[in-house]
């Protein structure tokens, strides 16, 4: 196969693998601000239920692939490398790929999708079906096993709420990045904590144990040093990594940390409620049931502070039909299942035309 794009060397392994018979595969990718995961899964026959356990051939991990965070060139190189790694580990090559479903943060407009589709077309043979989605779509599919219905809330380094109806309508809230206010995200929580430390040091805000705990965690001796630490490398994930310290301070009874987490709960719930209302997922009476897939480290339970549980409690006051789902598979598997569903749907439509 002709090597394409600027990273041709990463596909050199294909010369050693050669043709692999009839085993066809799907690649599912989940690309976020912190990491990118690619799953290689074999094509399996259409049925009412998926195999249990799901037949995953290989899994590969790489760094950030959000072009808004690292730039388009670095994002492309990361995505191409992680796909090559997954195929190499599975003993497959690009000729064996039937479909690629790439779900990545930073895909916010049809122009983003088209740009990535054109780039993927340079890499894969013409027979490969290509699908590009926001990373929230893969997260939703990981909880609904490839079906696009309901709402997903992602709260990790960043945050977004994304919803689909059964007739294909969709809506989103938040997910605009830290500059435009990803409040409720890991970055948002940690940034508020850093701001609280500076305010306390200046005398503009209440005293908080966030000061001593975060400074100790970072190996700093004074709040003055926070400015240099923050702007030396203001990457989103680096800031968001301080969330566990904020949670531990809240669990220790710190009022400032508690208020930051409470603000996070309200912001995350507000994002979900905005999507539910716009799509009418709750029905005309507001009481219809709908799945809410919850993904991301911020939503994981801690000793006494369970942000995810608090978010659901907050939402259920307005929409009692909310059904929280904590996925049993990771979003990259959800992307692969989504690709499988897209592929089977297209194959069925083509068969009906014959």
């Amino acid at each position: 196969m002709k090597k394409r794009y600027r990273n041709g060397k990463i596909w050199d392994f294909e010369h050693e693998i050669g043709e692999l018979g009839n085993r066809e595969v799907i690649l599912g990718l989940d690309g976020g601000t912190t990491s990118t995961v690619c799953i290689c899964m074999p094509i399996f026959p259409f049925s009412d239920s998926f195999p249990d356990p799901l037949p995953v051939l290989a899994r590969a991990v790489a760094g950030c692939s959000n072009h808004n965070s690292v730039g388009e060139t670095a994002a492309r190189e990361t995505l191409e490398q992680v796909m090559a790694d997954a195929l190499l580990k599975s003993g497959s090559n690009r000729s064996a790929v039937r479909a690629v479903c790439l779900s990545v943060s930073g895909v916010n407009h049809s122009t983003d999708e088209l740009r990535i589709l054109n780039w993927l077309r340079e890499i894969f043979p013409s027979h490969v079906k290509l699908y590009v989605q926001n990373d929230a779509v893969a997260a939703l599919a990981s909880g609904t096993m490839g079906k696009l219905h309901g709402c997903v809330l992602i709260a990790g380094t960043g945050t977004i709420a994304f919803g689909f109806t059964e007739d294909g309508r969709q809506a989103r809230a938040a997910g605009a990045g830290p500059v435009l206010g990803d409040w409720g995200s890991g970055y948002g929580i940690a940034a508020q904590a850093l701001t609280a430390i500076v305010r306390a040091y200046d005398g503009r805000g209440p005293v908080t144990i966030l000061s001593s705990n975060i400074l100790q965690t970072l190996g700093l001796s004074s709040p003055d040093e926070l400015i240099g630490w923050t702007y030396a490398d203001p990457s989103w994930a680096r800031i968001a990594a301080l969330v566990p310290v904020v949670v531990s301070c809240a669990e220790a009874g710190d009022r400032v940390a508690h208020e930051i987490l409470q603000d996070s709960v309200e912001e995350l719930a507000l994002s979900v409620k905005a999507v539910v209302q716009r799509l009418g997922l709750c029905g005309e009476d507001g009481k219809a049931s709908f799945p809410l897939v919850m993904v991301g480290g911020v939503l994981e339970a801690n000793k006494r502070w369970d942000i995810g549980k608090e978010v659901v409690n907050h939402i259920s006051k307005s929409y009692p039909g909310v059904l929280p789902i904590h996925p049993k598979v990771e979003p990259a598997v959800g992307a692969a299942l989504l690709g499988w569903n897209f592929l089977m749907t297209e194959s069925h439509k083509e068969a009906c035309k014959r």
Side-chain angles (χ1 to χ4, degrees), residues 98-282:
R98 280 284 305 281
V100 177
C101 184
L102 192 158
S103 295
V104 61
S105 62
V107 175
N108 301 311
H109 191 270
S110 58
T111 55
D112 297 323
E113 295 179 21
L114 182 60
R115 185 171 63 252
I116 296 175
L117 281 171
N118 289 337
W119 164 69
L120 286 174
R121 183 53 65 205
E122 295 176 1
I123 297 175
F124 290 94
S126 58
H127 74 271
V128 180
K129 300 292 186 180
L130 304 173
Y131 312 102
V132 176
Q133 305 280 349
N134 184 278
D135 65 328
V137 181
L140 174 61
S142 71
T144 60
M145 298 305 285
K147 297 179 180 179
L148 291 183
H149 172 248
C151 184
V152 61
L153 173 63
I154 298 178
T157 299
T159 183
I160 187 172
F162 211 110
F164 281 86
T165 61
E166 292 182 343
D167 60 2
R169 291 182 297 116
Q170 57 182 280
R172 59 175 286 174
V179 175
L180 297 178
D182 256 359
W183 305 124
S185 69
Y187 179 92
I189 291 170
Q192 282 186 275
L194 293 175
T195 301
I197 294 172
V198 173
R199 290 177 60 84
Y201 184 66
D202 290 345
R204 293 180 292 129
V207 174
T208 169
I209 63 171
L210 285 168
S211 301
S212 59
N213 287 22
I214 287 182
L215 290 176
Q216 182 179 7
T217 298
L218 300 179
L220 304 178
S221 58
S222 169
D224 284 332
E225 299 177 52
L226 271 181
I227 299 174
W229 179 88
T230 300
Y231 295 108
D233 177 13
S235 64
W236 307 344
R238 179 171 174 259
I239 303 295
L242 295 173
V243 168
V245 184
V246 182
V247 173
S248 66
C249 289
E251 292 182 334
D254 185 78
R255 182 171 62 87
V256 174
H258 178 88
E259 289 177 354
I260 290 173
L261 296 187
Q262 194 59 50
D263 287 345
S264 171
V265 168
E266 293 176 3
E267 288 289 342
L268 294 173
L270 190 61
S271 295
V272 172
K273 289 194 288 185
V275 169
V276 171
Q277 184 173 10
R278 286 163 62 188
L279 294 178
L281 293 174
C282 56

Side-chain angles (χ1 to χ4, degrees), residues 257 289 342:
S289 62
F342 286 151

Side-chain angles (χ1 to χ4, degrees), residues 2-18:
K2 180 182 177 181
K3 291 184 290 186
R4 307 180 181 190
Y5 194 56
R6 53 181 148 269
N7 288 331
K9 289 184 178 180
I10 71 170
W11 299 104
D12 283 347
F13 71 88
E14 291 182 322
H15 300 301
E16 300 176 8
I17 291 177

